[in-house]
Every structure is written in structure tokens, then in C-alpha cells.
Amino acid sequence: MTTVQTPQPQKAVALGRHLLDVDSLGAEGIDRVLEEALSEALRATSLRGKTVVNFFYEASTRTRLSFEIAAKRLGADVINVSSGESSVTKGESLVDTARTLEALGADAVVLRHPEPGAAYLMARYFKGSVLNAGDGRHAHPTQALLDLLTLRQSFGDLRGLRVAIVGDIEHSRVARSTTVGLLLCGADVRLCGPRTLLPPRGWLETFPRSDRGGRVTQTASMGDALRDAHAVMALRMQGERQARSLLPDPKEFVRLYGLTRERLKELAPDALVMHPGPANEGVEIAPGLMDAPNSLISMQVTNGVLVRMAVLRLLLGGNGE
Ligand code: CP
């Protein structure tokens, strides 16, 4: 396992009212959330009297449940709504939904939506806090934060850490948000997939940087991506965001890009395996690897509750300013 320095305590930074992406948190904002997630103060927080609405226009297991568990552990009232059981089915717009939730007295809306930018739009019309739980292919900030917490607990400081992210990069909000978070924390990220699932190269220039020295590269070669990497994250094929199949033969994807025990030998010794879930075992990750000793996948899910408690506390508990 890589020996790296533990980060020094940071001066508290303001998070603002919403959590819409990782970019606007910056390196110090990320540090603040991760410190909060591990703090004793988190367990003593009470959000009693606050109402958190989980509004999901897309399916979710991990994100919705962990936001619900997080809010309930903090004593908040939680209401879960899916678009199929709301007045969205009668044509109500996102803006009117925001106004309605506001009039009902919600303090926070956790929003998952298939369209990029949906959480930003909601934030313009909702006076409480909006937490982006995934907007199309754009961003999934709490997933990035839980990935960063998991890597920090495993490696310490992320500066110089080499992380490969493999699969459907083009359609993955996790790929973008986790890459932004890793870069801001000073890690080197290798994005890897078939050329049809890699975004245009200019995309890499759009990532924000910090003074911690992270770099991002993109490759279609698994060998180049995995060589001496400290961690690898496999991504699911995002069929729901592909208008047509972008792979001539899915079996070729499994052969060329599926994570297998054999492929893991190309990584650095003691390297660790991640997946944001949901996973398709036998496609992007071989059966048995998800619960192997070097897998961080369960830890990622568990950390999802801590990170979501931390952001709820920082946004609603009067501790984020
Ligand atoms: N990683 C993630 O967002 O999983 P869910 O779709 O189950 O929430």
C-alpha cells in the first residue's frame, strides 16, 4: 500500500447554500466535507424540525437510501417522492415543483434527474438547499465525495495517487465528478474505455485544477490505464443515456475492458478495486471481484451515509458558513 502524508487540518471554508457539483467546492471545500464526515460533532448534530425531500426522477438504491438514512440519523423528517407518483406525471414542470416544495416548507431537496443542469434550475427557484443526487451525465457530487473519503481512508493524502477509471466514461456523471474531486485533491486520473465511450479530448481541459498538482489523461488502452495504478474504478455501461449502441459487440467490451483477476496484476501491488454501483457482474467487473479482499465497494456504500450526513449538517445545521 502506498505511504502518503495525512492531510493537515484545514481552516473551515464556507460551503454555501447548495451542493450542485464538486467543482464549486474546491479542494478546501472537499477537505471540509471529508473532515466533517469523520468528526465526532456529526454524531451530536440534530436536524430535528428540518424537512428533507428526496425527489427522484430516476431509479436509485444507494443514493436515495443513504440520503434517507443520513437525514433520519440526524433527526430530520424525510419524505421520499419519485416522479412517477408526483404531479410531474400530469405535466408539472421542475420550476413549479420547486415552488410547490418551497410552499410546503421543505428545508432541503435532494434531486436526481435525467437532465444535466436540473439541480441548478431547481436551486434558482427553491429558497432552501438543493443537493444534486445526479443530473444526467453531468454531476454526482456526493458520489465523488464518498469515493474520495474511501480513498483517503485507504491511502491518506491523495496527492500523487494514480487512479484508473474504466468503462463508459462519456455517459457517466460519476466519472466526471470523481475525476474533478481527485484532480482537486492532487491525484492523477487515467480515464479509459473504447474510443466510442470516451468524450472529445477538449473535455479534459474543462476540469478545474488546484495547487495540489493532479493530472488527467484519457486512453483506449487498458494496459496504459492500469499500469502501476493504486486503484481502479469500473463503470457500468449507461444504456439509459445511449441513444443507440456504441459498441459493435458487447462481448468485445468484456474481453478488452472487463476487470478480471488477471488484469488486476497490472496494477501496483496491493491496489484496490472500486465501483460506484450498480454493477453488472460479468460485464465491467468479473464475478467475485466485488467482495474480494482488495475491494472497496462495500466501504464506498457505507461511506455514502457518512458523507451525506456531513453535507446535510453543513448545509442545514448552520455549520457550513
Ligand atoms: N452510485 C449510485 O448513484 O447508485 P444508485 O443509482 O443506486 O443511487
Side-chain angles (χ1 to χ4, degrees):
M1 197 161 293
T2 314
T3 307
V4 280
Q5 290 175 333
T6 305
Q8 296 301 306
Q10 303 287 316
K11 187 172 161 290
V13 292
L15 245 64
R17 188 151 55 96
H18 308 293
L19 178 64
L20 303 178
D21 54 42
V22 193
D23 315 41
S24 49
L25 281 180
E28 289 75 23
I30 291 170
D31 289 344
R32 177 89 199 270
V33 174
L34 302 191
E35 282 159 21
E36 196 75 22
L38 298 175
S39 75
E40 285 303 316
L42 189 61
R43 279 118 200 105
T45 300
S46 174
L47 295 184
R48 195 166 299 283
K50 303 281 186 186
T51 301
V52 176
V53 177
N54 285 329
F55 210 122
F56 277 60
Y57 288 69
E58 273 186 349
S60 167
T61 300
R62 277 150 285 269
T63 312
R64 193 183 69 77
L65 287 177
S66 59
F67 261 116
E68 180 172 357
I69 292 168
K72 284 183 172 165
R73 282 204 185 145
L74 294 170
D77 296 321
V78 184
I79 299 164
N80 295 307
V81 194
S82 64
S83 57
E85 63 197 22
S86 74
S87 287
V88 169
T89 57
K90 301 174 192 164
E92 187 163 53
S93 69
L94 193 60
V95 170
D96 285 340
T97 303
R99 290 184 177 128
T100 302
L101 294 174
E102 162 121 16
L104 288 169
D107 296 289
V109 180
V110 177
L111 181 70
R112 172 166 288 192
H113 199 282
E115 297 302 330
Y120 296 76
L121 182 62
M122 173 78 78
R124 280 173 50 194
Y125 291 91
F126 180 73
K127 291 201 178 63
S129 293
V130 176
L131 295 93
N132 186 358
D135 60 331
R137 69 173 73 175
H138 173 245
H140 195 349
T142 54
Q143 177 69 44
L145 290 163
L146 73 87
D147 291 337
L148 296 171
L149 179 63
T150 305
L151 286 167
R152 268 208 191 159
Q153 287 175 318
S154 304
F155 293 99
D157 193 348
L158 300 187
R159 268 171 272 218
L161 198 76
R162 296 184 290 275
V163 182
I165 301 180
V166 179
D168 183 359
I169 306 294
E170 164 77 345
H171 301 96
S172 171
R173 55 195 172 211
V174 177
R176 186 174 187 288
S177 284
T178 298
T179 299
V180 169
L182 285 166
L183 278 177
L184 290 172
C185 291
D188 290 342
V189 187
R190 300 146 175 197
L191 299 171
C192 176
R195 291 196 191 285
T196 49
L197 297 177
L198 290 176
R201 258 177 209 281
W203 189 64
L204 301 184
E205 310 307 321
T206 67
F207 288 94
R209 311 292 159 136
S210 74
D211 58 6
R212 298 187 189 179
R215 288 174 301 176
V216 58
T217 53
Q218 193 163 282
T219 177
S221 159
M222 273 292 260
D224 289 348
L226 298 189
R227 191 170 303 118
D228 294 326
H230 300 111
V232 57
M233 179 185 289
L235 296 177
R236 178 178 68 86
M237 203 62 64
Q238 310 268 309
E240 70 275 31
R241 283 193 267 285
Q242 296 179 13
R244 59 188 168 80
S245 173
L246 293 167
L247 295 173
D249 181 354
K251 286 196 190 113
E252 277 296 284
F253 175 83
V254 176
R255 190 176 70 77
L256 293 173
Y257 295 98
L259 273 192
T260 58
R261 283 187 199 285
E262 194 55 32
R263 280 240 158 78
L264 295 183
K265 291 179 187 161
E266 297 176 45
L267 298 164
D270 300 323
L272 299 172
V273 173
M274 304 176 78
H275 195 306
N280 291 133
E281 282 188 287
V283 183
E284 73 272 12
I285 187 164
L289 286 190
M290 294 199 46
D291 51 6
N294 63 342
S295 167
L296 295 175
I297 296 170
S298 293
M299 190 171 163
Q300 287 174 270
V301 176
T302 305
N303 279 340
V305 176
L306 291 179
V307 155
R308 287 163 181 134
M309 284 174 76
V311 295
L312 285 169
R313 176 175 193 259
L314 288 168
L315 297 181
L316 297 184
N319 302 299
E321 314 275 354

